[in-house]
mmCIF file of all heavy atoms in Angstrom:
data_model
loop_
_atom_site.group_PDB
_atom_site.id
_atom_site.type_symbol
_atom_site.label_atom_id
_atom_site.label_comp_id
_atom_site.label_asym_id
_atom_site.label_seq_id
_atom_site.Cartn_x
_atom_site.Cartn_y
_atom_site.Cartn_z
ATOM 1 N N PHE R 1 -72.624 75.652 -190.369
ATOM 2 C CA PHE R 1 -73.599 74.656 -189.727
ATOM 3 C C PHE R 1 -73.177 73.308 -189.724
ATOM 4 O O PHE R 1 -73.214 72.665 -188.738
ATOM 5 C CB PHE R 1 -74.906 74.788 -190.665
ATOM 6 C CG PHE R 1 -76.077 74.021 -190.091
ATOM 7 C CD1 PHE R 1 -76.951 74.529 -189.210
ATOM 8 C CD2 PHE R 1 -76.221 72.683 -190.622
ATOM 9 C CE1 PHE R 1 -78.010 73.736 -188.711
ATOM 10 C CE2 PHE R 1 -77.259 71.903 -190.118
ATOM 11 C CZ PHE R 1 -78.140 72.418 -189.145
ATOM 12 N N VAL R 2 -72.664 72.736 -190.803
ATOM 13 C CA VAL R 2 -72.275 71.470 -190.983
ATOM 14 C C VAL R 2 -70.996 71.161 -190.042
ATOM 15 O O VAL R 2 -70.980 70.150 -189.229
ATOM 16 C CB VAL R 2 -71.831 71.027 -192.315
ATOM 17 C CG1 VAL R 2 -71.193 69.609 -192.422
ATOM 18 C CG2 VAL R 2 -73.077 71.154 -193.324
ATOM 19 N N CYS R 3 -70.013 71.983 -189.991
ATOM 20 C CA CYS R 3 -68.886 71.862 -189.282
ATOM 21 C C CYS R 3 -69.006 71.898 -187.751
ATOM 22 O O CYS R 3 -68.414 70.991 -187.053
ATOM 23 C CB CYS R 3 -67.770 72.972 -189.556
ATOM 24 S SG CYS R 3 -67.143 72.826 -191.236
ATOM 25 N N PHE R 4 -69.903 72.775 -187.307
ATOM 26 C CA PHE R 4 -70.180 72.896 -185.945
ATOM 27 C C PHE R 4 -71.070 71.856 -185.454
ATOM 28 O O PHE R 4 -70.914 71.236 -184.369
ATOM 29 C CB PHE R 4 -70.760 74.303 -185.556
ATOM 30 C CG PHE R 4 -69.746 75.389 -185.323
ATOM 31 C CD1 PHE R 4 -69.487 76.239 -186.311
ATOM 32 C CD2 PHE R 4 -69.112 75.439 -184.146
ATOM 33 C CE1 PHE R 4 -68.512 77.269 -186.190
ATOM 34 C CE2 PHE R 4 -68.149 76.479 -183.864
ATOM 35 C CZ PHE R 4 -67.895 77.411 -184.934
ATOM 36 N N TYR R 5 -72.094 71.472 -186.014
ATOM 37 C CA TYR R 5 -73.139 70.500 -185.625
ATOM 38 C C TYR R 5 -72.552 69.044 -185.655
ATOM 39 O O TYR R 5 -73.103 68.207 -185.057
ATOM 40 C CB TYR R 5 -74.402 70.725 -186.337
ATOM 41 C CG TYR R 5 -75.246 71.774 -185.632
ATOM 42 C CD1 TYR R 5 -75.420 72.993 -186.290
ATOM 43 C CD2 TYR R 5 -75.992 71.453 -184.624
ATOM 44 C CE1 TYR R 5 -76.025 74.114 -185.740
ATOM 45 C CE2 TYR R 5 -76.733 72.530 -183.959
ATOM 46 C CZ TYR R 5 -76.789 73.806 -184.427
ATOM 47 O OH TYR R 5 -77.541 74.856 -183.965
ATOM 48 N N VAL R 6 -71.513 68.777 -186.446
ATOM 49 C CA VAL R 6 -70.867 67.626 -186.397
ATOM 50 C C VAL R 6 -70.135 67.433 -185.129
ATOM 51 O O VAL R 6 -70.078 66.258 -184.625
ATOM 52 C CB VAL R 6 -69.898 67.417 -187.686
ATOM 53 C CG1 VAL R 6 -69.012 66.307 -187.460
ATOM 54 C CG2 VAL R 6 -70.789 67.232 -188.864
ATOM 55 N N ARG R 7 -69.568 68.462 -184.684
ATOM 56 C CA ARG R 7 -68.637 68.391 -183.521
ATOM 57 C C ARG R 7 -69.311 68.764 -182.212
ATOM 58 O O ARG R 7 -68.837 68.339 -181.094
ATOM 59 C CB ARG R 7 -67.332 69.328 -183.691
ATOM 60 C CG ARG R 7 -66.505 68.992 -184.812
ATOM 61 C CD ARG R 7 -65.360 69.904 -184.883
ATOM 62 N NE ARG R 7 -64.563 69.878 -183.691
ATOM 63 C CZ ARG R 7 -63.647 70.798 -183.357
ATOM 64 N NH1 ARG R 7 -63.358 71.759 -184.174
ATOM 65 N NH2 ARG R 7 -62.984 70.645 -182.274
ATOM 66 N N TYR R 8 -70.336 69.643 -182.225
ATOM 67 C CA TYR R 8 -70.933 70.195 -181.001
ATOM 68 C C TYR R 8 -72.376 70.107 -180.913
ATOM 69 O O TYR R 8 -73.136 70.062 -182.029
ATOM 70 C CB TYR R 8 -70.545 71.745 -180.905
ATOM 71 C CG TYR R 8 -69.076 71.954 -180.780
ATOM 72 C CD1 TYR R 8 -68.383 72.430 -181.936
ATOM 73 C CD2 TYR R 8 -68.289 71.793 -179.647
ATOM 74 C CE1 TYR R 8 -67.003 72.766 -181.883
ATOM 75 C CE2 TYR R 8 -67.021 72.134 -179.548
ATOM 76 C CZ TYR R 8 -66.311 72.578 -180.664
ATOM 77 O OH TYR R 8 -65.005 72.813 -180.593
ATOM 78 N N LYS R 9 -72.900 70.024 -179.752
ATOM 79 C CA LYS R 9 -74.333 70.220 -179.441
ATOM 80 C C LYS R 9 -74.461 71.684 -178.941
ATOM 81 O O LYS R 9 -73.894 71.904 -177.740
ATOM 82 C CB LYS R 9 -74.841 69.216 -178.474
ATOM 83 C CG LYS R 9 -76.363 69.373 -178.093
ATOM 84 C CD LYS R 9 -76.798 68.254 -177.174
ATOM 85 C CE LYS R 9 -78.297 68.474 -176.785
ATOM 86 N NZ LYS R 9 -79.147 68.533 -178.103
ATOM 87 N N ILE R 10 -74.976 72.541 -179.593
ATOM 88 C CA ILE R 10 -75.012 74.042 -179.328
ATOM 89 C C ILE R 10 -76.178 74.285 -178.488
ATOM 90 O O ILE R 10 -77.302 74.092 -178.929
ATOM 91 C CB ILE R 10 -74.783 74.812 -180.709
ATOM 92 C CG1 ILE R 10 -73.574 74.448 -181.325
ATOM 93 C CG2 ILE R 10 -74.812 76.256 -180.260
ATOM 94 C CD1 ILE R 10 -73.448 75.105 -182.763
ATOM 95 N N HIS R 11 -76.004 75.036 -177.349
ATOM 96 C CA HIS R 11 -76.985 75.425 -176.447
ATOM 97 C C HIS R 11 -77.013 76.991 -176.595
ATOM 98 O O HIS R 11 -75.944 77.456 -176.093
ATOM 99 C CB HIS R 11 -76.926 75.024 -175.078
ATOM 100 C CG HIS R 11 -76.687 73.511 -175.075
ATOM 101 N ND1 HIS R 11 -77.722 72.639 -174.811
ATOM 102 C CD2 HIS R 11 -75.501 72.686 -175.005
ATOM 103 C CE1 HIS R 11 -77.241 71.476 -174.817
ATOM 104 N NE2 HIS R 11 -75.950 71.391 -174.889
ATOM 105 N N VAL R 12 -78.060 77.647 -176.980
ATOM 106 C CA VAL R 12 -78.165 79.085 -177.152
ATOM 107 C C VAL R 12 -79.135 79.630 -176.135
ATOM 108 O O VAL R 12 -80.378 79.225 -176.202
ATOM 109 C CB VAL R 12 -78.398 79.541 -178.491
ATOM 110 C CG1 VAL R 12 -78.417 81.014 -178.608
ATOM 111 C CG2 VAL R 12 -77.393 78.972 -179.548
ATOM 112 N N LYS R 13 -78.762 80.627 -175.355
ATOM 113 C CA LYS R 13 -79.739 81.364 -174.486
ATOM 114 C C LYS R 13 -79.706 82.883 -174.760
ATOM 115 O O LYS R 13 -78.552 83.422 -174.884
ATOM 116 C CB LYS R 13 -79.232 81.123 -172.971
ATOM 117 C CG LYS R 13 -80.146 81.819 -172.072
ATOM 118 C CD LYS R 13 -79.691 81.466 -170.630
ATOM 119 C CE LYS R 13 -80.597 82.222 -169.518
ATOM 120 N NZ LYS R 13 -80.142 81.934 -168.165
ATOM 121 N N GLY R 14 -80.822 83.419 -174.948
ATOM 122 C CA GLY R 14 -80.936 84.835 -175.248
ATOM 123 C C GLY R 14 -80.896 85.226 -176.734
ATOM 124 O O GLY R 14 -80.545 86.386 -177.066
ATOM 125 N N ILE R 15 -81.359 84.288 -177.555
ATOM 126 C CA ILE R 15 -81.232 84.722 -179.009
ATOM 127 C C ILE R 15 -82.072 85.859 -179.419
ATOM 128 O O ILE R 15 -81.784 86.646 -180.404
ATOM 129 C CB ILE R 15 -81.588 83.361 -179.832
ATOM 130 C CG1 ILE R 15 -81.338 83.611 -181.280
ATOM 131 C CG2 ILE R 15 -83.064 82.984 -179.601
ATOM 132 C CD1 ILE R 15 -79.843 83.787 -181.679
ATOM 133 N N GLU R 16 -83.294 86.068 -178.740
ATOM 134 C CA GLU R 16 -84.108 87.112 -179.110
ATOM 135 C C GLU R 16 -83.440 88.493 -178.776
ATOM 136 O O GLU R 16 -83.680 89.469 -179.498
ATOM 137 C CB GLU R 16 -85.436 87.128 -178.311
ATOM 138 C CG GLU R 16 -86.310 86.040 -178.924
ATOM 139 C CD GLU R 16 -86.616 86.187 -180.346
ATOM 140 O OE1 GLU R 16 -86.831 87.434 -180.858
ATOM 141 O OE2 GLU R 16 -86.547 85.267 -181.191
ATOM 142 N N SER R 17 -82.474 88.584 -177.795
ATOM 143 C CA SER R 17 -81.703 89.834 -177.498
ATOM 144 C C SER R 17 -80.829 90.028 -178.693
ATOM 145 O O SER R 17 -80.675 91.296 -179.093
ATOM 146 C CB SER R 17 -80.913 89.607 -176.257
ATOM 147 O OG SER R 17 -81.750 89.497 -175.172
ATOM 148 N N PHE R 18 -80.310 89.023 -179.211
ATOM 149 C CA PHE R 18 -79.425 89.241 -180.388
ATOM 150 C C PHE R 18 -80.284 89.662 -181.663
ATOM 151 O O PHE R 18 -79.803 90.671 -182.272
ATOM 152 C CB PHE R 18 -78.917 87.841 -180.741
ATOM 153 C CG PHE R 18 -77.553 87.829 -181.488
ATOM 154 C CD1 PHE R 18 -76.818 86.609 -181.700
ATOM 155 C CD2 PHE R 18 -77.149 88.989 -182.244
ATOM 156 C CE1 PHE R 18 -75.633 86.678 -182.327
ATOM 157 C CE2 PHE R 18 -75.922 88.925 -182.840
ATOM 158 C CZ PHE R 18 -75.194 87.724 -183.054
ATOM 159 N N ARG R 19 -81.263 89.074 -182.029
ATOM 160 C CA ARG R 19 -82.049 89.282 -183.201
ATOM 161 C C ARG R 19 -82.736 90.590 -183.131
ATOM 162 O O ARG R 19 -83.043 91.223 -184.227
ATOM 163 C CB ARG R 19 -83.050 88.206 -183.612
ATOM 164 C CG ARG R 19 -82.329 86.909 -183.950
ATOM 165 C CD ARG R 19 -83.146 85.730 -184.090
ATOM 166 N NE ARG R 19 -82.487 84.533 -184.540
ATOM 167 C CZ ARG R 19 -82.980 83.295 -184.535
ATOM 168 N NH1 ARG R 19 -84.134 83.109 -184.214
ATOM 169 N NH2 ARG R 19 -82.233 82.309 -184.872
ATOM 170 N N THR R 20 -83.018 91.131 -181.940
ATOM 171 C CA THR R 20 -83.840 92.394 -181.862
ATOM 172 C C THR R 20 -82.980 93.586 -181.441
ATOM 173 O O THR R 20 -83.386 94.638 -181.210
ATOM 174 C CB THR R 20 -84.965 92.292 -180.864
ATOM 175 O OG1 THR R 20 -84.475 91.926 -179.653
ATOM 176 C CG2 THR R 20 -86.040 91.211 -181.391
ATOM 177 N N ALA R 21 -81.570 93.390 -181.320
ATOM 178 C CA ALA R 21 -80.756 94.387 -180.914
ATOM 179 C C ALA R 21 -80.759 95.517 -181.856
ATOM 180 O O ALA R 21 -80.729 95.410 -183.092
ATOM 181 C CB ALA R 21 -79.321 93.949 -180.679
ATOM 182 N N PRO R 22 -80.694 96.746 -181.429
ATOM 183 C CA PRO R 22 -80.666 97.955 -182.325
ATOM 184 C C PRO R 22 -79.304 98.221 -182.944
ATOM 185 O O PRO R 22 -78.346 97.680 -182.519
ATOM 186 C CB PRO R 22 -81.061 99.164 -181.397
ATOM 187 C CG PRO R 22 -80.472 98.726 -180.100
ATOM 188 C CD PRO R 22 -80.588 97.210 -179.940
ATOM 189 N N HIS R 23 -79.362 99.110 -184.116
ATOM 190 C CA HIS R 23 -78.228 99.476 -184.667
ATOM 191 C C HIS R 23 -77.969 100.940 -184.420
ATOM 192 O O HIS R 23 -78.964 101.677 -184.252
ATOM 193 C CB HIS R 23 -78.248 99.292 -186.313
ATOM 194 C CG HIS R 23 -78.162 97.874 -186.689
ATOM 195 N ND1 HIS R 23 -77.959 97.528 -187.930
ATOM 196 C CD2 HIS R 23 -78.179 96.729 -185.969
ATOM 197 C CE1 HIS R 23 -77.895 96.224 -188.058
ATOM 198 N NE2 HIS R 23 -78.064 95.637 -186.926
ATOM 199 N N PRO R 24 -76.674 101.429 -184.347
ATOM 200 C CA PRO R 24 -75.450 100.742 -184.473
ATOM 201 C C PRO R 24 -75.238 99.903 -183.241
ATOM 202 O O PRO R 24 -75.777 100.070 -182.280
ATOM 203 C CB PRO R 24 -74.418 101.734 -184.613
ATOM 204 C CG PRO R 24 -74.982 102.911 -183.866
ATOM 205 C CD PRO R 24 -76.444 102.896 -184.119
ATOM 206 N N LEU R 25 -74.389 98.866 -183.345
ATOM 207 C CA LEU R 25 -74.181 97.817 -182.280
ATOM 208 C C LEU R 25 -72.740 97.358 -182.205
ATOM 209 O O LEU R 25 -72.158 97.192 -183.322
ATOM 210 C CB LEU R 25 -75.093 96.624 -182.658
ATOM 211 C CG LEU R 25 -75.153 95.557 -181.539
ATOM 212 C CD1 LEU R 25 -75.744 96.088 -180.209
ATOM 213 C CD2 LEU R 25 -75.966 94.332 -182.041
ATOM 214 N N ILE R 26 -72.298 97.323 -180.999
ATOM 215 C CA ILE R 26 -70.993 96.706 -180.678
ATOM 216 C C ILE R 26 -71.228 95.289 -180.004
ATOM 217 O O ILE R 26 -71.770 95.363 -178.948
ATOM 218 C CB ILE R 26 -70.120 97.627 -179.869
ATOM 219 C CG1 ILE R 26 -69.978 98.978 -180.501
ATOM 220 C CG2 ILE R 26 -68.764 96.948 -179.589
ATOM 221 C CD1 ILE R 26 -69.411 99.998 -179.513
ATOM 222 N N ILE R 27 -70.868 94.280 -180.567
ATOM 223 C CA ILE R 27 -70.950 92.957 -179.997
ATOM 224 C C ILE R 27 -69.623 92.667 -179.414
ATOM 225 O O ILE R 27 -68.557 92.562 -179.938
ATOM 226 C CB ILE R 27 -71.325 91.984 -181.057
ATOM 227 C CG1 ILE R 27 -72.631 92.147 -181.608
ATOM 228 C CG2 ILE R 27 -71.267 90.445 -180.320
ATOM 229 C CD1 ILE R 27 -73.053 91.240 -182.738
ATOM 230 N N VAL R 28 -69.636 92.345 -178.035
ATOM 231 C CA VAL R 28 -68.463 91.995 -177.274
ATOM 232 C C VAL R 28 -68.547 90.611 -176.809
ATOM 233 O O VAL R 28 -69.453 90.164 -176.120
ATOM 234 C CB VAL R 28 -68.307 92.909 -176.048
ATOM 235 C CG1 VAL R 28 -67.157 92.614 -175.201
ATOM 236 C CG2 VAL R 28 -68.188 94.492 -176.523
ATOM 237 N N ALA R 29 -67.506 89.806 -177.193
ATOM 238 C CA ALA R 29 -67.527 88.308 -176.873
ATOM 239 C C ALA R 29 -66.225 87.899 -176.409
ATOM 240 O O ALA R 29 -65.145 88.456 -176.684
ATOM 241 C CB ALA R 29 -67.974 87.501 -178.004
ATOM 242 N N ASN R 30 -66.128 86.845 -175.484
ATOM 243 C CA ASN R 30 -65.000 86.236 -175.098
ATOM 244 C C ASN R 30 -64.377 85.289 -176.310
ATOM 245 O O ASN R 30 -65.219 85.180 -177.240
ATOM 246 C CB ASN R 30 -65.090 85.404 -173.882
ATOM 247 C CG ASN R 30 -66.021 84.274 -173.946
ATOM 248 O OD1 ASN R 30 -67.075 84.345 -174.475
ATOM 249 N ND2 ASN R 30 -65.534 83.147 -173.618
ATOM 250 N N HIS R 31 -63.139 85.040 -176.210
ATOM 251 C CA HIS R 31 -62.573 84.261 -177.379
ATOM 252 C C HIS R 31 -62.129 83.026 -177.110
ATOM 253 O O HIS R 31 -60.957 82.877 -176.425
ATOM 254 C CB HIS R 31 -61.504 85.300 -177.813
ATOM 255 C CG HIS R 31 -61.213 85.250 -179.290
ATOM 256 N ND1 HIS R 31 -61.954 84.499 -180.224
ATOM 257 C CD2 HIS R 31 -60.189 85.779 -180.131
ATOM 258 C CE1 HIS R 31 -61.534 84.703 -181.469
ATOM 259 N NE2 HIS R 31 -60.321 85.352 -181.398
ATOM 260 N N ILE R 32 -62.754 81.923 -177.502
ATOM 261 C CA ILE R 32 -62.232 80.576 -177.124
ATOM 262 C C ILE R 32 -61.654 79.785 -178.304
ATOM 263 O O ILE R 32 -61.104 78.772 -178.162
ATOM 264 C CB ILE R 32 -63.365 79.697 -176.497
ATOM 265 C CG1 ILE R 32 -64.565 79.440 -177.508
ATOM 266 C CG2 ILE R 32 -63.923 80.408 -175.262
ATOM 267 C CD1 ILE R 32 -65.627 78.531 -176.987
#
């Protein structure tokens, strides 16, 4: 929290999809 918010202003879209996703789950993300 401290490290990211010092450097970035974070914009999140679709957080409810994340929090309500069923298990088991595979999260697929690009890598920056």
Side-chain angles (χ1 to χ4, degrees):
F1 181 90
V2 172
C3 292
F4 274 100
Y5 278 97
V6 165
R7 297 182 60 194
Y8 298 104
K9 181 176 177 60
I10 301 174
H11 309 267
V12 182
K13 182 178 179 180
I15 189 61
E16 284 306 312
S17 297
F18 202 165
R19 291 175 178 167
T20 60
H23 286 194
L25 184 65
I26 303 168
I27 299 175
V28 175
N30 65 311
H31 210 3
I32 65 172

